[in-house]
Amino acid sequence: MHYVIGVDIGTQSTKALLVSQKGAIVAQASDSYQVDQPQSMWAEQWPQVWVDAVKKTIRAVISQTSITSTDIKAICVSSLYGGSGIPVDAQITPLYPCLIWMDRRADQEVADVKARVDLERLQAITGNGVDSYYGYTKMLWLKNHRSDVWAKTQYFLPPNSYVQYVLTGEIAVDHSSAGNIGGVYDMQARSWSGEMLNALGIPEHMMPERLVASNEIVGGLLSSVAQKLGLAPDTPVVAGGVDAAVATLAAGVTEPGNHVAMIGTSMCWGFINKHVDTKNGLISMPYVANVHEYNYLFGGAITAGASISWFREQFCQEEKQAARLLNDIDDHQLLEIQAKKTPAGADGVVFLPYLMGERSPIWDSNATGTFVGLSLYHRKAHLYRAVLEGVAFALRHNIECGEYAAEHLDDRLIVVGGAAHSDLWMQIIADITGYDVYTIEQEVEAPLGAALLAADAVGLIKNLDAIKDWRRLTRRAPVNKTHKVKYDSIFTIYKQLYVVMKDSMHTLKYI
């Protein structure tokens, strides 16, 4: 039997799986870390944290078995959307932390791009818009604010590309990571756009020349690294891609119509399309499967699970203390017991989950989180349920935009990520979106997708459709039609609230 290792570098942890060529998960490991937030709206990470976590988790999965190293035929590394990427010098030494997807510091750069660049042309070439979410605006922040770093920068490397360099000594960028930078990648030509790089003032040499498919081998494992990991030298290392797309592949999405919501720290909902849509506020990049034909279109909320964590940390000390005393139940479960008793719609409380600004479809880095409808009657359980519902409304807002762009969407929604642990949240999502919710039984998402890409790269599977044999879907929540009618009315209000409150949000933020 032959095996592969799939690794996913996440925002708060790295996970690795050792998987057989038949899709059986033999071992898994994870390693946690934190995002650095030195200022409000900043979010950055040093790449050594990721390198250490990748090595640690690979060693951990190998140590759990007696499999011979030569039977492990490939490694694939996917990663979070790395925003700016890691600026490295000619020796590929990191010069500054990676400004990751959460970082919102590039507001002035957004304004500058809007003032001096032909935005219609930018959208037509790249399939994307202008926002501080996109990596190219973060690159311009470094140009404007850290000229010392800019002067020494040879390349900007996505997180998985940098880790692959450490493992193999080879530099390459997969097409999904390149497209997700926005602004600098030509979606039709599947190459860097010299025209847009010139218009933006970003030197072409900063974009690595070698672009590869997600199931392409970047290089072989260096002997020195292989020895420390317990693997054979020259073990192929496969390109992987952006975690949202790789998790979507893990859910079995290999053709247009399938759609998946990945809900962890943030929320990404996406689908495959043969065409790019630039009119409905979604993000476009090449898909990790069939890279030259399929595009991955997605939208998302910056603070999905992060909204839950914020609420729990700030307002739920009693539940946390009780969970410690009870041992066999956690604070999330205690909160859900009460929230489940609360009616759909949280008795009139609505939450806008804009705690770090927002991505699609409103694209407003100055939007702020809001509870609306509070009275003396409301309790903590109402607010907690409203947070769950608010993220689900944000999901529906993106699906609504996607319905205009998609060739078609299946009548089921697959949900992956930490949110899938919550039965209540799965039911709320089904009732708000109107789609029956399915989840992956294995609960491994992006690392499983990375393992599949590794197996495909070295010929252990016939094609990427093998994922449908590797993963098992479970129907978690059918739509409650009574709740759906109620949520339809609230969703209309949810959308109106941002429009009405936008100016006040912006004003309050800078008082």
PDB file of all heavy atoms in Angstrom, residues 498-511:
ATOM      1  N   TYR A 498     -27.495  47.522   7.028  1.00  0.00           N
ATOM      2  CA  TYR A 498     -26.178  48.027   6.628  1.00  0.00           C
ATOM      3  C   TYR A 498     -26.324  49.300   5.815  1.00  0.00           C
ATOM      4  O   TYR A 498     -25.607  50.293   6.056  1.00  0.00           O
ATOM      5  CB  TYR A 498     -25.399  46.988   5.829  1.00  0.00           C
ATOM      6  CG  TYR A 498     -24.188  47.588   5.149  1.00  0.00           C
ATOM      7  CD1 TYR A 498     -23.081  47.988   5.890  1.00  0.00           C
ATOM      8  CD2 TYR A 498     -24.179  47.811   3.769  1.00  0.00           C
ATOM      9  CE1 TYR A 498     -21.988  48.580   5.282  1.00  0.00           C
ATOM     10  CE2 TYR A 498     -23.088  48.394   3.158  1.00  0.00           C
ATOM     11  CZ  TYR A 498     -21.994  48.776   3.913  1.00  0.00           C
ATOM     12  OH  TYR A 498     -20.932  49.374   3.300  1.00  0.00           O
ATOM     13  N   VAL A 499     -27.238  49.321   4.881  1.00  0.00           N
ATOM     14  CA  VAL A 499     -27.433  50.495   4.025  1.00  0.00           C
ATOM     15  C   VAL A 499     -27.797  51.709   4.873  1.00  0.00           C
ATOM     16  O   VAL A 499     -27.253  52.809   4.685  1.00  0.00           O
ATOM     17  CB  VAL A 499     -28.533  50.225   2.972  1.00  0.00           C
ATOM     18  CG1 VAL A 499     -28.804  51.480   2.156  1.00  0.00           C
ATOM     19  CG2 VAL A 499     -28.119  49.077   2.056  1.00  0.00           C
ATOM     20  N   VAL A 500     -28.691  51.519   5.839  1.00  0.00           N
ATOM     21  CA  VAL A 500     -29.158  52.626   6.685  1.00  0.00           C
ATOM     22  C   VAL A 500     -28.065  53.087   7.645  1.00  0.00           C
ATOM     23  O   VAL A 500     -27.931  54.289   7.919  1.00  0.00           O
ATOM     24  CB  VAL A 500     -30.417  52.197   7.463  1.00  0.00           C
ATOM     25  CG1 VAL A 500     -30.787  53.249   8.509  1.00  0.00           C
ATOM     26  CG2 VAL A 500     -31.578  51.963   6.505  1.00  0.00           C
ATOM     27  N   MET A 501     -27.262  52.156   8.138  1.00  0.00           N
ATOM     28  CA  MET A 501     -26.310  52.471   9.208  1.00  0.00           C
ATOM     29  C   MET A 501     -24.895  52.734   8.715  1.00  0.00           C
ATOM     30  O   MET A 501     -24.019  53.095   9.510  1.00  0.00           O
ATOM     31  CB  MET A 501     -26.282  51.320  10.217  1.00  0.00           C
ATOM     32  CG  MET A 501     -27.628  51.057  10.877  1.00  0.00           C
ATOM     33  SD  MET A 501     -27.604  49.650  12.002  1.00  0.00           S
ATOM     34  CE  MET A 501     -26.548  50.284  13.285  1.00  0.00           C
ATOM     35  N   LYS A 502     -24.651  52.573   7.432  1.00  0.00           N
ATOM     36  CA  LYS A 502     -23.301  52.675   6.888  1.00  0.00           C
ATOM     37  C   LYS A 502     -22.613  53.976   7.279  1.00  0.00           C
ATOM     38  O   LYS A 502     -21.479  53.967   7.784  1.00  0.00           O
ATOM     39  CB  LYS A 502     -23.354  52.538   5.368  1.00  0.00           C
ATOM     40  CG  LYS A 502     -22.013  52.729   4.674  1.00  0.00           C
ATOM     41  CD  LYS A 502     -22.164  52.588   3.164  1.00  0.00           C
ATOM     42  CE  LYS A 502     -20.858  52.836   2.444  1.00  0.00           C
ATOM     43  NZ  LYS A 502     -21.011  52.716   0.966  1.00  0.00           N
ATOM     44  N   ASP A 503     -23.248  55.103   7.064  1.00  0.00           N
ATOM     45  CA  ASP A 503     -22.615  56.392   7.366  1.00  0.00           C
ATOM     46  C   ASP A 503     -22.306  56.526   8.849  1.00  0.00           C
ATOM     47  O   ASP A 503     -21.239  57.038   9.229  1.00  0.00           O
ATOM     48  CB  ASP A 503     -23.510  57.539   6.904  1.00  0.00           C
ATOM     49  CG  ASP A 503     -23.596  57.652   5.388  1.00  0.00           C
ATOM     50  OD1 ASP A 503     -22.737  57.061   4.701  1.00  0.00           O
ATOM     51  OD2 ASP A 503     -24.516  58.323   4.891  1.00  0.00           O
ATOM     52  N   SER A 504     -23.206  56.065   9.693  1.00  0.00           N
ATOM     53  CA  SER A 504     -22.977  56.142  11.141  1.00  0.00           C
ATOM     54  C   SER A 504     -21.822  55.236  11.549  1.00  0.00           C
ATOM     55  O   SER A 504     -20.997  55.604  12.403  1.00  0.00           O
ATOM     56  CB  SER A 504     -24.250  55.740  11.890  1.00  0.00           C
ATOM     57  OG  SER A 504     -25.291  56.645  11.631  1.00  0.00           O
ATOM     58  N   MET A 505     -21.730  54.054  10.949  1.00  0.00           N
ATOM     59  CA  MET A 505     -20.610  53.156  11.241  1.00  0.00           C
ATOM     60  C   MET A 505     -19.283  53.845  10.948  1.00  0.00           C
ATOM     61  O   MET A 505     -18.345  53.825  11.763  1.00  0.00           O
ATOM     62  CB  MET A 505     -20.708  51.892  10.386  1.00  0.00           C
ATOM     63  CG  MET A 505     -21.800  50.926  10.752  1.00  0.00           C
ATOM     64  SD  MET A 505     -21.798  49.534   9.565  1.00  0.00           S
ATOM     65  CE  MET A 505     -23.086  48.495  10.250  1.00  0.00           C
ATOM     66  N   HIS A 506     -19.197  54.449   9.774  1.00  0.00           N
ATOM     67  CA  HIS A 506     -17.957  55.104   9.354  1.00  0.00           C
ATOM     68  C   HIS A 506     -17.612  56.274  10.263  1.00  0.00           C
ATOM     69  O   HIS A 506     -16.449  56.481  10.627  1.00  0.00           O
ATOM     70  CB  HIS A 506     -18.087  55.577   7.910  1.00  0.00           C
ATOM     71  CG  HIS A 506     -18.175  54.469   6.914  1.00  0.00           C
ATOM     72  ND1 HIS A 506     -18.095  54.675   5.559  1.00  0.00           N
ATOM     73  CD2 HIS A 506     -18.319  53.128   7.064  1.00  0.00           C
ATOM     74  CE1 HIS A 506     -18.193  53.525   4.927  1.00  0.00           C
ATOM     75  NE2 HIS A 506     -18.336  52.577   5.825  1.00  0.00           N
ATOM     76  N   THR A 507     -18.624  57.057  10.637  1.00  0.00           N
ATOM     77  CA  THR A 507     -18.391  58.223  11.486  1.00  0.00           C
ATOM     78  C   THR A 507     -17.927  57.813  12.868  1.00  0.00           C
ATOM     79  O   THR A 507     -16.937  58.333  13.414  1.00  0.00           O
ATOM     80  CB  THR A 507     -19.665  59.075  11.608  1.00  0.00           C
ATOM     81  OG1 THR A 507     -20.073  59.491  10.311  1.00  0.00           O
ATOM     82  CG2 THR A 507     -19.428  60.298  12.474  1.00  0.00           C
ATOM     83  N   LEU A 508     -18.605  56.834  13.469  1.00  0.00           N
ATOM     84  CA  LEU A 508     -18.254  56.396  14.813  1.00  0.00           C
ATOM     85  C   LEU A 508     -16.860  55.806  14.890  1.00  0.00           C
ATOM     86  O   LEU A 508     -16.155  55.946  15.892  1.00  0.00           O
ATOM     87  CB  LEU A 508     -19.283  55.362  15.294  1.00  0.00           C
ATOM     88  CG  LEU A 508     -20.645  55.902  15.704  1.00  0.00           C
ATOM     89  CD1 LEU A 508     -21.632  54.772  15.883  1.00  0.00           C
ATOM     90  CD2 LEU A 508     -20.543  56.735  16.973  1.00  0.00           C
ATOM     91  N   LYS A 509     -16.452  55.146  13.809  1.00  0.00           N
ATOM     92  CA  LYS A 509     -15.151  54.484  13.826  1.00  0.00           C
ATOM     93  C   LYS A 509     -14.007  55.477  13.988  1.00  0.00           C
ATOM     94  O   LYS A 509     -12.951  55.137  14.543  1.00  0.00           O
ATOM     95  CB  LYS A 509     -14.988  53.682  12.517  1.00  0.00           C
ATOM     96  CG  LYS A 509     -13.735  52.831  12.515  1.00  0.00           C
ATOM     97  CD  LYS A 509     -13.703  51.916  11.301  1.00  0.00           C
ATOM     98  CE  LYS A 509     -12.447  51.071  11.287  1.00  0.00           C
ATOM     99  NZ  LYS A 509     -12.391  50.185  10.129  1.00  0.00           N
ATOM    100  N   TYR A 510     -14.191  56.698  13.531  1.00  0.00           N
ATOM    101  CA  TYR A 510     -13.086  57.667  13.530  1.00  0.00           C
ATOM    102  C   TYR A 510     -13.308  58.848  14.472  1.00  0.00           C
ATOM    103  O   TYR A 510     -12.616  59.843  14.396  1.00  0.00           O
ATOM    104  CB  TYR A 510     -12.837  58.145  12.108  1.00  0.00           C
ATOM    105  CG  TYR A 510     -12.305  57.033  11.217  1.00  0.00           C
ATOM    106  CD1 TYR A 510     -13.125  56.389  10.288  1.00  0.00           C
ATOM    107  CD2 TYR A 510     -10.994  56.591  11.350  1.00  0.00           C
ATOM    108  CE1 TYR A 510     -12.641  55.365   9.493  1.00  0.00           C
ATOM    109  CE2 TYR A 510     -10.500  55.555  10.567  1.00  0.00           C
ATOM    110  CZ  TYR A 510     -11.334  54.951   9.640  1.00  0.00           C
ATOM    111  OH  TYR A 510     -10.844  53.914   8.878  1.00  0.00           O
ATOM    112  N   ILE A 511     -14.283  58.737  15.346  1.00  0.00           N
ATOM    113  CA  ILE A 511     -14.461  59.799  16.345  1.00  0.00           C
ATOM    114  C   ILE A 511     -13.376  59.709  17.404  1.00  0.00           C
ATOM    115  O   ILE A 511     -13.077  58.636  17.903  1.00  0.00           O
ATOM    116  CB  ILE A 511     -15.868  59.679  17.005  1.00  0.00           C
ATOM    117  CG1 ILE A 511     -16.939  60.152  16.029  1.00  0.00           C
ATOM    118  CG2 ILE A 511     -15.937  60.512  18.291  1.00  0.00           C
ATOM    119  CD1 ILE A 511     -18.333  60.067  16.565  1.00  0.00           C
TER     120      ILE A 511
END
